[in-house]
Amino acid sequence: MSEACTYVVFGATGNLSMTKLMPAFYHLEKHDRLDEAVKILAIGRRDWHRDEWMQSVKEAVMPKARGGFTDQVCERFCGRMDYLQMDILQTPDYARLKAFLADHHWPTNVVFYLSLGPDQFAPTVEQLGEAGLLKEEGGWRRVVLEKPFGFDSQSAKQLQTRLNRYLEEEQTYRIDHYLGKGMVQNLMVFRFANLMMEPLWNRNYIDHIQITHAEDKSVGTRAGYYDQSGAMRDMIQSHLLQLLALVAMEPPASMEAEALRNEKVKLLQSVRPILKQNVHNQAYRAQYAEGVIKGQRVPSYLQEPGVDEGSVTETYAAIKLYIDNWRWAGVPFYIQTGKNMPSNRTLVAIRFKHPPKQFFRESQVKKMEPNWIVFGIQPEESIRLELTAKEPGLEIRTQQTNLDATLKGDENSAYDAYEELLLDVIKGDRSLFLRYDEVKAAWKVVDPILQVWSSETAFIDTYASGSWGPEGAKKLFDHPEQCWRYHYKPEVL
Ligand code: BG6
């Protein structure tokens, strides 16, 4: 059960809040994870009455409710909520917010969740600060910032400077919802709770590591944000570099927030800087053209509502990175992400080297395959270890076999990343949130690529919607034997 607090959600009627935050709160309610006194105040621009808000929350939550929607849970959940219309740029509205919280005697521990556009973070925090709403008097005050934190290193620094005037680092929760995913946390458990992994986890045994995030969705209604952002900022700088850090970092001194974050920062700072003249060898971008996904014809990115005519924003991005430390020197890390691909999947695939001697070459039919460890992050939550074994029979013939652990629990143990993170904010546990130096190190990795791409406005490669991305991205591989692995199962390697 959580501590009592008030969650003030800015941008409550927006896409993220309706698709992720409200369903997450509903599930926390269902599983009795919220203290009775927890209150939720939805802030939106629309001039809604409380009942209109409740109705739209109900409609948003209903299709997402795990194990079926129940009116009883929804009533309890709605009983915690209220709606306040605000224009976040207007100073008097913050006085109204302050008065609302005081008049209703809601818990004085307050979380301000900024589910807003990135350019609204600083002005909102400044207004909250000026209104005295961030002073920790009679309770704590915490601010959750969605991504992206800045647009590049420079703007992230400027944003941080503005926040520093009103917020302590301990009050700042930079969210990366990937860190709340069960399988992402399992990466750490797998690495650090199994002794047999550590001796193999280095340049001596690993040929390369790849991280793939594919979505079968388009940009949908988010072109206003996405067209300014693109796949490199939207997915790689944030979520996928976090996955990289967890796969490759050194064992932390403890699982405490700072120890963990120290190791992630160290890892990100060890990524070899990409020189501008190497950008085209280490990064690739493309945009989806028309195509067919799951039997449906879909338009190209340029035909999506809100996309600038002639936009060269990438909906697919891939990079190759090297980590200049003793553990990983010389091992390439390949990362790719794309929208409008054939299906949704996120996986981390680790390919091992070949054994130094191929003893069975004479007798076997097939070429020896390397070992793989594949972490299915979503939709399957699974870990697969691929090995070579002897086929049954008199002859020595080898076959690929695997140890496959599907980790999906039952309905009661299933949860969405946001549920865990919303609770962590109440607990004051920042281990799954990003520290500023981490964000800064991640921007440093992608800055040179973004700079080069921003100067190339005349052309962008395309890939058919419903395909696995552009052919050109294959040129990133160091060896002909390396290739993207889109599938968790080996039969479709
Ligand atoms: C968000 C990005 O942060 O993550 C989206 O802005 C992307 O563009 C989403 O679709 C992917 O998250 P998930 O949890 O669906 O893999």
Side-chain angles (χ1 to χ4, degrees):
M1 187 70 78
S2 74
E3 212 178 322
C5 81
T6 300
Y7 248 102
V8 179
V9 182
F10 284 89
T13 56
N15 184 274
L16 175 79
S17 162
M18 287 306 201
T19 57
K20 294 287 189 185
L21 303 182
M22 295 306 143
F25 278 125
Y26 170 89
H27 287 112
L28 292 174
E29 181 77 64
K30 179 173 174 181
H31 296 290
D32 283 330
R33 300 302 298 270
L34 297 174
D35 183 276
E36 263 179 38
V38 168
K39 295 285 186 189
I40 302 164
L41 180 61
I43 309 279
R45 251 178 319 188
R46 298 174 207 195
D47 194 11
W48 273 357
H49 188 262
R50 182 174 186 271
D51 295 344
E52 287 168 286
W53 161 250
M54 298 302 175
Q55 186 53 32
S56 41
V57 169
K58 201 169 164 180
E59 282 161 19
V61 166
M62 216 176 261
K64 300 217 155 217
R66 289 191 302 270
F69 177 85
T70 64
D71 280 324
Q72 205 189 0
V73 175
C74 192
E75 256 164 52
R76 255 180 18 228
F77 171 48
C78 288
R80 299 179 181 276
M81 284 202 284
D82 212 327
Y83 180 82
L84 184 69
Q85 190 275 333
M86 263 182 81
D87 179 341
I88 54 169
L89 298 175
Q90 296 302 319
T91 306
D93 284 13
Y94 289 82
R96 281 177 44 235
L97 168 61
K98 197 171 179 183
F100 180 101
L101 295 176
D103 295 349
H104 287 71
H105 303 292
W106 279 12
T108 49
N109 292 327
V110 186
V111 181
F112 296 100
Y113 195 118
L114 308 196
S115 176
L116 299 170
D119 50 340
Q120 294 169 320
F121 296 158
T124 308
V125 167
E126 284 164 357
Q127 294 272 13
L128 287 169
E130 289 298 327
L133 282 159
L134 298 176
K135 279 206 202 98
E136 300 203 298
E137 287 163 356
W140 45 253
R141 301 286 186 280
R142 294 173 186 156
V143 175
V144 181
L145 300 159
E146 266 294 336
K147 62 156 253 283
F149 192 87
F151 194 69
D152 54 14
S153 299
Q154 193 55 30
S155 55
K157 188 173 168 197
Q158 284 160 0
L159 171 58
Q160 188 54 40
T161 309
R162 286 176 74 178
L163 299 183
N164 280 344
R165 291 187 50 218
Y166 297 97
L167 277 179
E168 299 295 330
E169 181 64 26
E170 293 67 41
Q171 294 175 279
T172 313
Y173 289 69
R174 295 177 200 82
I175 203 164
D176 184 315
H177 79 278
Y178 264 57
L179 296 181
K181 290 186 190 276
M183 261 315 283
V184 173
Q185 293 167 32
N186 221 334
L187 278 174
M188 279 186 286
V189 175
F190 184 79
R191 284 194 58 197
F192 303 130
N194 295 301
L195 184 72
M196 61 195 280
M197 285 304 136
E198 175 55 22
L200 302 178
W201 217 256
N202 57 54
R203 63 193 298 271
N204 297 327
Y205 300 98
I206 292 181
D207 175 76
H208 75 273
I209 293 184
Q210 48 177 282
I211 301 175
T212 286
H213 170 265
E215 283 179 42
D216 61 9
K217 287 184 285 303
S218 66
V219 288
T221 54
R222 297 170 67 224
Y225 148 75
Y226 196 88
D227 206 36
Q228 304 302 314
S229 166
M232 183 63 81
R233 289 189 177 89
D234 185 53
M235 284 300 303
I236 295 188
Q237 185 273 343
S238 48
H239 309 318
L240 302 186
L241 285 183
Q242 283 296 315
L243 287 186
L244 170 86
L246 294 176
V247 173
M249 71 185 185
E250 294 302 312
S254 72
M255 281 297 154
E256 295 292 312
E258 295 321 316
L260 185 60
R261 302 196 302 179
N262 287 344
E263 290 308 331
K264 284 196 288 163
V265 174
K266 227 166 76 190
L267 189 281
L268 291 170
Q269 289 172 341
S270 316
V271 172
R272 186 188 302 165
I274 299 180
L275 303 175
K276 284 204 177 157
Q277 63 267 30
N278 286 340
V279 162
H280 291 298
N281 298 328
Q282 288 192 243
Y284 200 84
R285 66 173 176 166
Q287 193 181 75
Y288 61 78
E290 292 176 345
V292 177
I293 303 177
K294 300 195 168 127
Q296 295 280 324
R297 257 224 96 69
V298 296
S300 70
Y301 179 71
L302 291 179
Q303 292 165 326
E304 302 282 7
V307 170
D308 270 359
E309 198 184 322
S311 164
V312 290
T313 299
E314 77 285 358
T315 59
Y316 172 95
I319 48 174
K320 170 169 67 179
L321 299 174
Y322 292 95
I323 297 169
D324 279 339
N325 64 16
W326 277 44
R327 189 186 284 271
W328 296 116
V331 177
F333 288 74
Y334 303 104
I335 304 178
Q336 64 167 350
T337 178
K339 291 205 184 278
N340 267 12
M341 294 191 137
S343 58
N344 283 326
R345 64 193 44 170
T346 306
L347 40 96
V348 176
I350 295 158
R351 209 204 93 162
F352 287 82
K353 294 187 172 174
H354 285 290
K357 217 163 133 44
Q358 301 233 344
F359 287 116
F360 306 105
R361 187 170 281 147
E362 303 300 303
S363 47
Q364 72 162 9
V365 180
K366 279 190 250 161
K367 184 171 135 298
M368 296 278 277
E369 297 288 350
N371 299 127
W372 286 84
I373 294 179
V374 184
F375 295 90
I377 309 285
Q378 58 190 25
E380 307 95 341
E381 292 192 8
S382 25
I383 302 175
R384 181 183 193 98
L385 187 54
E386 290 172 12
L387 306 159
T388 300
K390 182 186 161 303
E391 267 183 19
L394 280 178
E395 291 83 21
I396 297 217
R397 289 212 179 103
T398 59
Q399 63 177 357
Q400 291 306 104
T401 185
N402 58 80
L403 302 172
D404 198 337
T406 296
L407 301 166
K408 220 176 182 83
D410 57 11
E411 194 255 311
N412 285 330
S413 60
Y415 68 92
D416 181 77
Y418 276 95
E419 293 164 44
E420 158 122 34
L421 298 171
L422 290 174
L423 281 183
D424 281 355
V425 181
I426 306 181
K427 285 186 219 148
D429 180 352
R430 290 182 299 133
S431 45
L432 299 181
F433 294 83
L434 310 184
R435 215 164 57 188
Y436 173 60
D437 52 355
E438 239 178 299
V439 178
K440 187 166 118 188
W443 277 124
K444 285 252 151 71
V445 173
V446 300
D447 266 352
I449 304 173
L450 293 171
Q451 280 159 17
V452 169
W453 285 357
S454 71
S455 65
E456 296 173 347
T457 54
F459 171 79
I460 182 163
D461 190 10
T462 56
Y463 59 101
S465 289
S467 74
W468 285 114
E471 280 293 303
K474 295 182 181 159
K475 72 169 194 173
L476 298 185
F477 289 108
D478 278 355
H479 302 290
E481 229 198 12
Q482 298 173 341
C483 57
W484 292 117
R485 177 169 176 152
Y486 302 105
H487 302 282
Y488 175 71
K489 306 253 179 195
E491 49 273 21
V492 272
L493 252 178

